[in-house]
Amino acid sequence: MPLTALVLALASAVASAVWNLLLKLADDTEAATAVAIALGVILFAPALAFGGIPAAAWPFIAASAVLQFAYFTLLATAYRRAELSLVFPLARGMAPVLVLLIGLVALHVHASAGELVGVLLVAVGAVAVRGIRLAGGFADTGIALLIAVCIAGYTLVDKHGVSLASPFAYLEVVMTLLGVPYLAMVTRAKGLQPLRRELRPRTAVIGIGIIGGYDLALEGLRLAAAAPVAAVRESSVVIGTALAAIVLRERVGLARFGGACLVAAGIMLLALAAG
């Protein structure tokens, strides 16, 4: 793996963990998400100059926009209700597992021993992150798993979409298509005042992290195979859990942090085995 691709993937992982942390810190996660996406789209508008969008790419763009609209809606709701150290590892960790399961069940793809062990590690890690208590919290876990479904969905779609168009222009159009209705939905539900309160530098950083972080991953994929780039990028699971403990003072504990590490290890094994 070239050093440049490694640095890009690590930077993408850090960006993902940081913007999720900042979103969790927001007073109104829905308003912050809406404003962050809008600011990110404006700041990255020059990306449209990097290439055109052929007609063949538009179905993938539309599908990705729908899936990411659902993703951001669920993510903002999850961070309003639950801890970052619960939502982030489960959502990010289970998505690659779902991609593998879709391949096994729907596409009849053969899974190697390494992939199956990776699934087991992620499953055990997810249980450790969630905990085995029976009282309360299952709705939050369900939301996190739905987020994982969205991530798996738009990942599969984008894998094909970016092969047809410039990754930077592709992502800019996707974010614009999902950002406009999301902003309208939040404005209708909450009014303009919450949105005005989120017009601050921190929200702009979230928007830069959302779009810029994904752009870094796409650029890394131009320089190296998908498996090692994905493996390095999913170190964000551990980074996000550590930030939840240090910055948010969440009671992560050894079991939850150990679970996050198992999730990350499982994802890395899945990516490397697939490669």
Side-chain angles (χ1 to χ4, degrees):
M1 183 178 187
L3 178 60
T4 303
L6 175 63
V7 172
L8 288 168
L10 283 173
S12 178
V14 173
S16 178
V18 170
W19 77 252
N20 276 273
L21 171 69
L22 294 177
L23 182 59
K24 175 62 179 174
L25 288 170
D27 296 328
D28 187 321
T29 54
E30 286 89 355
T33 299
V35 174
I37 294 173
L39 292 175
V41 166
I42 293 170
L43 292 172
F44 283 90
L48 291 172
F50 281 81
I53 305 293
W58 282 102
F60 297 98
I61 289 173
S64 182
V66 170
L67 288 166
Q68 294 206 48
F69 179 90
Y71 162 74
F72 283 109
T73 301
L74 291 166
L75 189 70
T77 301
Y79 285 155
R80 175 166 46 81
R81 297 168 47 100
E83 293 180 334
L84 176 69
S85 57
L86 167 67
V87 176
F88 193 65
L90 282 179
R92 297 300 311 183
M94 293 304 296
V97 178
L98 293 174
V99 173
L100 176 63
L101 291 177
I102 291 172
L104 290 172
V105 176
L107 305 178
H108 305 291
V109 175
H110 174 71
S112 67
E115 290 173 320
L116 294 175
V117 173
V119 170
L120 179 61
L121 284 175
V122 171
V124 173
V127 171
V129 169
R130 169 61 184 88
I132 58 174
R133 294 169 298 175
L134 297 178
F138 285 102
D140 297 334
T141 302
I143 293 174
L145 293 176
L146 285 175
I147 294 170
V149 171
C150 293
I151 294 172
Y154 73 67
T155 298
L156 290 169
V157 169
D158 290 344
K159 178 182 178 181
H160 297 284
V162 296
S163 66
L164 302 170
S166 161
F168 299 102
Y170 175 93
L171 183 58
E172 178 69 11
V173 175
V174 168
M175 297 305 296
T176 300
L177 289 179
L178 77 93
V180 171
Y182 189 86
L183 182 63
M185 179 184 73
V186 174
T187 302
R188 181 175 181 180
K190 296 177 177 287
L192 291 174
Q193 191 58 35
L195 297 173
R196 292 194 188 101
R197 285 197 295 266
E198 292 300 333
L199 285 171
R200 61 179 76 177
R202 184 176 69 187
T203 312
V205 172
I206 296 172
I208 292 171
I210 290 172
I211 300 180
Y214 201 20
D215 275 335
L216 288 171
L218 294 176
E219 188 64 22
L221 288 172
R222 293 179 61 247
L223 303 174
V229 172
V232 174
R233 188 168 184 252
E234 292 309 330
S235 61
S236 62
V237 171
V238 179
I239 297 170
T241 304
L243 288 174
I246 296 169
V247 179
L248 301 179
R249 305 294 183 185
E250 293 182 3
R251 298 181 63 183
V252 173
L254 290 177
R256 181 169 285 187
F257 186 75
C261 291
L262 282 176
V263 168
I267 294 168
M268 289 182 183
L269 186 57
L270 280 170
L272 293 173

